[in-house]
Amino acid sequence: MIEVFSWYGIIWALGLLTLPLTFLIFGRLPDRGYAFSKPVGLLVVSLLAWWIGNLKLLPFTQTTCWLAVIAVGLVSNLVLLTNRRLGQDMVGWFGKRHNWNYVIAAELVFFLAYAFIINMRSFFPQLNQSEKFFDYGFINAIAASPELPPPDPWFGGLPMNYYYGGQLLMGVFSKLSGTEVSTGYNIAMGLVYALGAVGIYGLASNLVGLARGRGWVSIEGGIFGVTLVQVLGNLYPLRQVLQHFFSGTSDPNFFVAWGQQNFPFQIGWPASARMIYDPMPDGRMLDILTEYPIYSYLNGDLHAHLLGAPYVIVALGWLLNLFAANRKWGLARLHWREVGHFVAGGMVIGGLYFINGGDFPTYLLLTVVVLALVESRFKERWRDRLGRFALQLAAFGLAMWLVYLFYFVSFTGMIRGKPLEGVAANTVMGFLSRFVGWISWPRTNLSEYVQMFGLFFLPILTFMALKLLALARSEKIKDLPPVASFVGLATRLAGLILLVVGGLSLSHAFEDLAAKNITLQSLVLPLIAFTVAPWTLWPRAWQNLRSQPRLAIEGLAALTLLAVGSLLKFELLGPVVVLLYFAARLLLHDLKRLRRRDSWLTRLDSLLLVVVALASLITLFCELLYVRDIYANRFNTMFKFWYQLWVLFGLAGVYSAWRVVSWHRVLDVTVVEPTSTTIVTSPQPVTAARPGWLNSLTSRWSLLPTRQAATEAGVNLAFNQTTPATSAYPAPVSPAPVPLQERVIAPAQPDLNPPKISSGWRWAWLGLLAFLMFSASAVPVLAYWQTTNHYTNRQDLNGETWYAETFPTEYPAMRWLREYTRQDPARRGVVLEVNGMNYSWASRISVYTGLPTVIGWPFHELQWRGNLDELAVWQPWLDMTKIYETTDVEEAKTLLHKNHVRYVFVGQVENGTRSLFSDGHEFKKFSPEALAKFAGFMKTVYADPANNIYIYAFY
C-alpha cells in the first residue's frame, strides 16, 4: 500500500514543481494549465533524464532520475523568480476563490480516478494475458536498464524500434519510486487513468470558460466532460438489451436478481469493443478491436494508446491555448525571448510521436489548421499571413525535431515499405501503396458506428442542426407564389404513400435486429420515407422547403448518398460525408463572421467544427484505406484511429451539449484588449435572473452573460463601449496587456436569427441525453461489478503472484537471476529461454527480469520492424529451439555465441513439466542429455536438482 501513496505523492510534487512552466505554456487558458501540470511535469522530468542518459553524461539510474527532478525544480523556480509578471499572475490567479474551487475539484477528480482504477486492479492484478507480457516487458526493460537507448527485451537487446515514450515515463516513475514494476504496472494503470481524467476535466473547463468570454473556468463543464469521455462507455449494452427483446427468446440468464454477480443483466463487455467483423478476401471473419477508455482499463493492457491518452489531452489543451491567441505570430515571434514557446509546443506535439505514433499525424495536422486559423483572423495581405504561418511552422518543426532528436534519428518506422504488386509499376499509386492499402471488402455498419459514438452524436448533431437552421433562415426566399391546389394534393398523396412504404419496410428492419444483423440496407427505405413524408404532408412544411432550395437540395443529396452507400456496402459514406459537408459549410460561415467581428463564441464554434470535420475525415480514411503493417487488413488502423475519434467526438460532444443547453440564453461577446481605460471585472459569474423551475436547473450551464446581465455589469449594448459600473464590484484600472479574465466584455450583435427552443423540447432533449448516458454507464458499473465478482475477490497489486502459483519451482530461479543482474550492471546479458508464438508464456524470463532474450514474440517484432528481413527474426527464433534440443556441444556453442547469449535458463517449460499455455497445450520436449550438456561448458550459477531447474552462464 505504501507504493500507492508514494506514486501519488511523487506525481503531485512533479505537478507542483512545474506549475510555473505550465502557467507560461498555457497562459491564455483560464486555468493557466493547472490541470495539465502533472502530466507535463512527468514528461519534462523524463525527457531530461532521457537526454542525460542518451548523452552518456550519467547512467540511467534512480539517482539520475532524481537529479532530473531537482534540475527541473530549480529551473522552474528560477523562471518564477526572474519573471515578475509570471509571479504576479500566479498570485492573482490563486487569490480568487473560484479558482480555488476549481483546484479542489481537480484534485478530487484526480484522486478519485486514481483510487478507482487501483482498487479495481487489486481484484485481478495478473500480468499474464493479452498484451500484458509485452507492455510489462518493455517497462521492466527500461526500468532495469542502466543505459539508453533502452534495449529491446525481445530482440537480443538491440535498441527498441517502437514508440516507447509511454513505457519510458512509467520506467522513470518506477525508478523514482523504487517500486518493483510487477506492482508498479498496476499502480501505473491508476496513474494514467487519473492523468487522463484530470486532463479532460481541465480541457472541458477551459473550453467552456473561454466560450463564455469572461475567462473563468467552468467547473460544471469539466465534471461533465470527465463523465462523458473518461467514465462512460459506448452504447453496445443498449443494443444487447434491444436484441434480447426483439429476438423473441426468453433467456433466464439475461436478467438476474439483486445481489447476484451479473445484476441486473449479463453484459457482454468484451463484445462492446469487438462488434465489427470484416469479411476478409480469404473467407474468414476478422473481429476489429475498437477500444474506448473505460474498456481499456478493465482490459488492463498498458498499451501505447493508453499511455498516450493523457498527452493527447495535453496536446488539445495546448492547441486550445494557441487558438486563443489575440495577436499576430499566434504561436510565438521569431525572437530568442520566445524560443520557449516553440520548445514547449514541440515537446507537447512531438511527444505524441514518441509515446503513440498513431496519434502524431492527426494532431500535427490539427496544429497546422489551428495555426492557419489564428493567422487568418487578421486583415492583411495574404502573403504576410502566409509568411508568418510558414515561419512559425518551420520553427515549431525544428524545435520538435531537436527535443526528440535521439528518437527521430534512431526510429526506422513500422510500415512495410514495399509497394503492392498490382500497382507497383504506377509511380504515384506504387509509392502510396508502400504505406496504405485499399479496403475492398464490406465496411463498417452504420449501426456499429452509432453504437460506438452515438452518445456524442446527439449533442453534436443537435448543435449543428441549430446552427444550420439559423443559417437557413438568413437564406430563406420570401414572397413565393402560392402552390396550385393539384400540386398540394399530389404532394400529400405522395407523403401518404411514403408513410405506408416506410411502415411496411420496418418489419424487415426488426427482423434484422432480432437476427443481430443491423444494417443500413434494411433501414434505408424507412429512413428516406419517414424523412421525406413530413415535408409533403403539411402545407407549411412544403412551403418552407420551397423557400429554402439550397437546404432542400442538400437534403436530397444526403438521402441519395445514404441509399448509394447501402447499395455499395459502404454504409458510412452518406452519414459521414454529410457530417463533413455541413461541418465545413458552418465553419466557412463562422470564419466569415470572425473576419467581420471577432468573438469568443464564434471562435470556439469554429474550432469544434474543425474537430468534427477532422474526425469525419479520419472515419472516411478508416473506411477506404488501412495503414500497411504486418497485417493486410485494417485491424490496427481501426484500433488506433477510432481511439482518437472517441476523444475528438467526445470533446465536440461536451462543448455541443453546453451550447445546446445554453442556446438562446447567452450573448455572443467580443473580448477587446484594453489600453489604459477603466475595465470591468467581477469575481462572480454574471448571470441574469431566470424565472421558471426549468431555468433554475439549467442556469448553471448558461455560462455566457445575458443582455440584461451584461448591461448591469456596465456594458452598453447600444454603443458597444464600457460605461461606469453600476454593480457592487469595483472597476479596477489595469495597463495593457492584461490577463484574459480582466479584459472588457463587449457585446457582439448577432447577424443571424437563431431558432428558439421551447422548454418542452429542451426537457425532451435532456431526457434523451440522460437516457443515453444511463445506457453507456453499463460498462463502468455492471462490467466492473461482474469482473470483480461484485468486488469480493480482492487479491493485491503484485502482478507476478500468478507466476509464483503457476511456476512454483521456477519462480525462485527467476527472482534470483533478476536480483543477481541488478546488483551489478556488468552482469547483464542476453538470456536464452524457450521460444514460443504470440500470447503464450514464452519470453516470461525476459519479461520478469528485464533482461533481453534472443527473440520474443516473433510477430510483434516483425510488426515493430516493418522493413526488416523476416529471416532476421525467424532464424534466431529457430536457433533457440536448436540450442536446447541438440546434443552436439559444438553446435550449441556456435549458436549461443552467434546470438550473443550469456545466460541459459532451464525452467519448468524447458524441462517439460509445464506448458506454454494455461489450457495445457504445447509442451516442449527436450531430452535430459540435451539439457545436461550446458553444464559441460558453462558455469552453473543456480541449481535446484530436485526440480531440475538450472541457470548456466558464460564468464
Side-chain angles (χ1 to χ4, degrees):
M1 183 60 73
I2 189 65
E3 296 93 344
V4 175
F5 291 106
S6 68
W7 278 57
Y8 182 83
I10 291 172
I11 194 62
W12 193 87
L14 293 181
L16 185 63
L17 283 177
T18 53
L19 201 55
L21 301 180
T22 59
F23 262 65
L24 286 176
I25 297 172
F26 303 95
R28 296 164 184 155
L29 298 183
D31 82 332
R32 304 301 198 276
Y34 180 88
F36 309 130
S37 59
K38 292 180 177 66
V40 168
L42 177 57
L43 180 62
V44 171
V45 167
S46 299
L47 285 178
L48 181 57
W50 181 68
W51 265 82
I52 293 173
N54 276 287
L55 290 173
K56 312 301 181 184
L57 300 177
L58 291 171
F60 184 56
T61 61
Q62 183 182 41
T63 302
T64 301
C65 293
W66 275 110
L67 287 175
V69 173
I70 295 172
V72 169
L74 291 174
V75 171
S76 184
N77 281 278
L78 181 63
V79 170
L80 182 60
L81 291 174
T82 57
N83 192 328
R84 182 179 178 184
R85 187 172 165 188
L86 173 63
Q88 292 174 345
D89 188 24
M90 293 186 68
V91 171
W93 192 87
F94 281 103
K96 293 182 173 60
R97 180 178 178 181
H98 185 76
N99 291 335
W100 270 111
N101 293 337
Y102 171 83
V103 169
I104 293 172
E107 294 300 330
L108 280 174
V109 166
F110 181 85
F111 176 78
L112 292 176
Y114 181 71
F116 170 67
I117 295 299
I118 289 180
N119 176 64
M120 183 272 298
R121 291 300 305 168
S122 69
F123 292 94
F124 37 90
Q126 299 86 356
L127 305 179
N128 62 345
Q129 297 174 345
S130 189
E131 296 285 354
K132 296 177 185 62
F133 255 31
F134 152 52
D135 298 321
Y136 172 60
F138 266 47
I139 297 172
N140 202 21
I142 293 174
S145 175
E147 296 180 352
L148 290 175
D152 186 339
W154 286 355
F155 201 68
L158 292 179
M160 293 180 181
N161 194 72
Y162 184 76
Y163 28 81
Y164 63 85
Q167 285 83 4
L168 175 73
L169 298 179
M170 296 304 106
V172 167
F173 217 112
S174 296
K175 287 177 181 288
L176 288 173
S177 64
T179 308
E180 182 58 53
V181 180
S182 57
T183 299
Y185 180 103
N186 289 306
I187 303 176
M189 292 288 293
L191 176 65
V192 174
Y193 183 75
L195 291 175
V198 76
I200 287 287
Y201 167 81
L203 183 61
S205 297
N206 284 301
L207 184 63
V208 177
L210 282 174
R212 296 183 308 183
R214 292 197 307 275
W216 292 351
V217 288
S218 167
I219 298 175
E220 299 86 355
I223 293 174
F224 178 72
V226 174
T227 304
L228 206 67
V229 178
Q230 196 78 355
V231 175
L232 297 179
N234 61 21
L235 299 179
Y236 179 83
L238 181 60
R239 165 184 171 174
Q240 188 179 355
V241 172
L242 289 175
Q243 286 179 337
H244 171 76
F245 286 111
F246 279 104
S247 64
T249 61
S250 178
D251 183 359
N253 298 320
F254 189 76
F255 289 101
V256 293
W258 168 262
Q260 295 186 23
Q261 177 181 352
N262 299 323
F263 176 83
F265 70 92
Q266 172 69 40
I267 176 176
W269 66 269
S272 69
R274 292 182 179 270
M275 60 182 133
I276 300 174
Y277 284 83
D278 277 4
M280 295 287 96
D282 59 5
R284 62 192 174 95
M285 297 297 291
L286 176 69
D287 58 329
I288 303 297
L289 183 60
T290 55
E291 288 193 16
Y292 48 91
I294 200 66
Y295 170 95
S296 298
Y297 292 93
L298 184 57
N299 190 47
D301 292 344
L302 200 56
H303 227 37
H305 68 288
L306 210 63
L307 292 165
Y311 293 95
V312 166
I313 306 304
V314 173
L316 286 168
W318 181 79
L319 288 170
L320 183 61
N321 180 78
L322 173 59
F323 196 74
N326 283 319
R327 64 167 196 173
K328 302 172 185 177
W329 301 95
L331 176 54
R333 298 180 185 277
L334 297 182
H335 191 275
W336 69 269
R337 292 182 180 273
E338 299 197 20
V339 168
H341 293 289
F342 291 109
V343 173
M347 178 188 69
V348 170
I349 302 299
L352 300 181
Y353 188 65
F354 188 39
I355 299 172
N356 184 26
D359 292 326
F360 178 69
T362 298
Y363 292 96
L364 180 62
L365 175 60
L366 193 56
T367 300
V368 173
V369 173
V370 167
L371 184 58
L373 291 177
V374 170
E375 294 300 336
S376 68
R377 294 183 193 139
F378 303 98
K379 298 179 180 178
E380 294 181 321
R381 295 182 305 173
W382 67 269
R383 280 174 285 187
D384 294 335
R385 288 178 290 174
L386 181 61
R388 285 198 308 270
F389 167 75
L391 289 173
Q392 290 177 93
L393 197 61
F396 162 77
L398 177 62
M400 180 169 57
W401 187 79
L402 290 174
V403 170
Y404 295 98
L405 174 65
F406 295 108
Y407 182 69
F408 277 106
V409 298
S410 63
F411 183 59
T412 60
M414 298 164 61
I415 308 300
R416 299 307 293 166
K418 296 180 180 179
L420 294 172
E421 294 181 2
V423 294
N426 187 299
T427 304
V428 177
M429 296 300 295
F431 174 78
L432 293 176
S433 71
R434 295 173 56 191
F435 308 100
V436 294
W438 177 261
I439 297 174
S440 58
W441 50 86
R443 301 163 177 89
T444 310
N445 290 337
L446 177 60
S447 61
E448 296 161 346
Y449 194 61
V450 173
Q451 289 164 48
M452 187 70 179
F453 306 112
L455 178 62
F456 309 137
F457 286 156
L458 175 64
I460 291 171
L461 296 179
T462 306
F463 165 58
M464 291 179 63
L466 290 173
K467 285 184 70 74
L468 187 62
L469 288 175
L471 179 58
R473 287 188 175 193
S474 66
E475 300 171 346
K476 190 172 183 179
I477 301 174
K478 300 179 180 180
D479 302 325
L480 286 173
V483 179
S485 58
F486 74 90
V487 175
L489 181 61
T491 55
R492 291 188 183 90
L493 180 59
L496 289 172
I497 295 173
L498 284 172
L499 283 179
V500 173
V501 172
L504 292 175
S505 59
L506 271 180
S507 61
H508 298 291
F510 290 148
E511 291 174 1
D512 283 353
L513 181 61
K516 301 183 179 182
N517 184 30
I518 313 171
T519 63
L520 180 60
Q521 194 165 7
S522 60
L523 292 174
V524 67
L525 195 54
L527 284 172
I528 294 175
F530 293 136
T531 302
V532 176
W535 293 99
T536 60
L537 287 174
W538 285 273
R540 185 175 178 182
W542 173 245
Q543 189 70 9
N544 286 333
L545 193 63
R546 292 180 60 230
S547 64
Q548 299 178 20
R550 177 174 178 175
L551 194 61
I553 295 172
E554 290 169 341
L556 182 61
L559 293 175
T560 303
L561 278 175
L562 202 67
V564 171
S566 67
L567 293 175
L568 297 177
K569 295 184 179 182
F570 188 176
E571 294 194 2
L572 296 188
L573 175 65
V576 176
V577 168
V578 170
L579 184 64
L580 176 61
Y581 169 79
F582 283 113
R585 182 183 172 191
L586 293 172
L587 174 62
L588 290 174
H589 179 266
D590 280 352
L591 293 179
K592 291 178 181 178
R593 292 186 66 192
L594 287 172
R595 294 298 301 276
R596 296 193 300 268
R597 182 194 61 254
D598 195 0
S599 73
W600 284 110
L601 196 59
T602 308
R603 274 196 201 184
L604 272 299
D605 282 1
S606 64
L607 178 61
L608 268 296
L609 290 169
V610 167
V611 169
V612 172
L614 177 60
S616 302
L617 287 172
I618 293 173
T619 301
L620 288 176
F621 176 85
C622 293
E623 294 301 296
L624 294 171
L625 304 168
Y626 63 88
V627 178
R628 289 193 61 212
D629 51 19
I630 190 175
Y631 308 109
N633 54 59
R634 61 173 184 159
F635 180 91
N636 274 328
T637 303
M638 291 279 285
F639 174 43
K640 296 291 186 183
F641 285 106
W642 272 42
Y643 214 81
Q644 297 175 21
L645 292 182
W646 183 274
V647 176
L648 295 174
F649 279 135
L651 177 63
V654 171
Y655 178 80
S656 299
W658 169 75
R659 285 286 279 121
V660 172
V661 173
S662 300
W663 192 264
H664 219 73
R665 293 179 168 276
V666 298
L667 177 67
D668 197 1
V669 296
T670 300
V671 178
V672 180
E673 293 284 356
T675 54
S676 59
T677 59
T678 301
I679 64 172
V680 179
T681 62
S682 171
Q684 299 295 332
V686 183
T687 56
R690 297 179 176 86
W693 61 283
L694 171 65
N695 295 335
S696 68
L697 291 176
T698 59
S699 61
R700 298 288 287 176
W701 279 85
S702 301
L703 302 175
L704 280 171
T706 62
R707 291 179 178 274
Q708 177 185 350
T711 304
E712 291 174 355
V715 179
N716 189 314
L717 300 184
F719 300 99
N720 196 20
Q721 63 185 13
T722 58
T723 59
T726 58
S727 64
Y729 305 112
V733 177
S734 176
V738 294
L740 175 61
Q741 74 274 15
E742 298 179 2
R743 296 173 185 161
V744 176
I745 298 177
Q749 302 296 335
D751 57 358
L752 296 177
N753 183 21
K756 295 183 178 180
I757 304 176
S758 65
S759 296
W761 188 94
R762 184 180 286 109
W763 263 119
W765 188 87
L766 287 172
L768 180 57
L769 179 62
F771 171 74
L772 294 180
M773 292 177 68
F774 174 77
S775 302
S777 68
V779 170
V781 175
L782 297 180
Y784 279 70
W785 170 272
Q786 292 171 193
T787 307
T788 60
N789 193 26
H790 42 98
Y791 297 101
T792 60
N793 56 342
R794 188 187 303 278
Q795 301 177 42
D796 53 29
L797 292 173
N798 188 351
E800 66 181 40
T801 301
W802 76 274
Y803 197 140
E805 296 172 351
T806 307
F807 299 91
T809 59
E810 173 187 300
Y811 179 69
M814 182 278 296
R815 287 182 58 88
W816 180 89
L817 181 61
R818 183 168 65 191
E819 295 302 320
Y820 177 74
T821 53
R822 287 182 182 179
Q823 290 171 3
D824 184 358
R827 295 172 177 172
R828 291 177 57 84
V830 177
V831 58
L832 176 69
E833 56 186 314
V834 75
N835 62 7
M837 298 302 291
N838 293 7
Y839 307 109
S840 68
W841 288 337
S843 310
R844 67 203 184 283
I845 306 301
S846 63
V847 166
Y848 277 88
T849 62
L851 298 174
T853 190
V854 178
I855 293 292
W857 290 355
F859 285 106
H860 278 60
E861 283 296 339
L862 289 172
Q863 181 180 344
W864 300 332
R865 303 173 187 273
N867 292 313
L868 187 70
D869 184 355
E870 293 190 10
L871 285 178
V873 171
W874 289 116
Q875 189 59 60
W877 188 82
L878 294 173
D879 288 346
M880 297 169 73
T881 299
K882 289 181 181 179
I883 294 173
Y884 279 111
E885 69 182 6
T886 185
T887 56
D888 186 336
V889 172
E890 292 305 319
E891 182 184 16
K893 284 183 179 180
T894 301
L895 292 175
L896 286 168
H897 290 307
K898 170 189 172 184
N899 292 284
H900 310 288
V901 173
R902 183 168 186 180
Y903 298 97
V904 174
F905 192 93
V906 178
Q908 287 184 258
V909 176
E910 289 78 11
N911 65 27
T913 60
R914 194 72 176 84
S915 71
L916 281 174
F917 292 90
S918 58
D919 61 2
H921 77 276
E922 195 171 338
F923 277 85
K924 295 290 183 176
K925 302 294 183 181
F926 304 121
S927 66
E929 296 80 12
L931 294 179
K933 68 178 178 293
F934 299 110
F937 61 91
M938 300 180 73
K939 181 178 181 180
T940 304
V941 293
Y942 181 93
D944 180 6
N947 296 296
N948 196 22
I949 306 294
Y950 296 92
I951 301 176
Y952 304 100
F954 280 116
Y955 278 94

